[in-house]
Amino acid sequence: MKLFNKNMIILAFVALLAFVPLYIARGAEFAGADTQASEAISALNATYTPWFESFWEPPSGEVESFLFALQAAVGSGFVFYYLGYTKGKNSINKRDQV
């Protein structure tokens, strides 16, 4: 099988993984973990008051999403840099042993 065909199969599989759950739960309400946690706490103890408040609130939801995506990108950059560095280091060590 050609490389292009393998890549197209993988791409189709990834697209299915991304869109099938959204199709199955198309009537569901999506909320963040913070919202769900605060609702659960309020249901358990209606008089609960938070220990502290955020010292900075992003000006909009778009800025908050951008900062979250930036954090994820930087974190994955560190992880994959480390993985590539250790793979390269191991391949150099194996080449030197031969």
Side-chain angles (χ1 to χ4, degrees):
M1 186 182 293
K2 292 183 179 180
L3 181 63
F4 180 77
N5 292 340
K6 287 181 184 179
N7 288 341
M8 288 298 113
I9 291 171
I10 291 172
L11 181 64
F13 184 68
V14 168
L16 281 174
L17 282 176
F19 292 112
V20 167
L22 293 174
Y23 179 75
I24 291 172
R26 63 182 168 265
E29 180 180 324
F30 295 100
D34 294 340
T35 305
Q36 292 177 351
S38 63
E39 288 174 358
I41 290 170
S42 297
L44 293 173
N45 184 2
T47 61
Y48 175 79
T49 56
W51 294 354
F52 58 89
E53 294 292 324
S54 297
F55 63 89
W56 180 72
E57 190 74 26
S60 67
E62 291 83 10
V63 173
E64 186 175 358
S65 295
F66 168 73
L67 291 174
F68 182 76
L70 181 65
Q71 177 186 359
V74 169
S76 64
F78 279 116
V79 168
F80 289 111
Y81 173 80
Y82 175 76
L83 290 175
Y85 178 78
T86 55
K87 181 174 175 17
K89 188 175 173 182
N90 288 338
S91 68
I92 288 173
N93 288 341
K94 287 180 183 178
R95 188 178 61 198
D96 289 343
Q97 289 176 358
V98 173

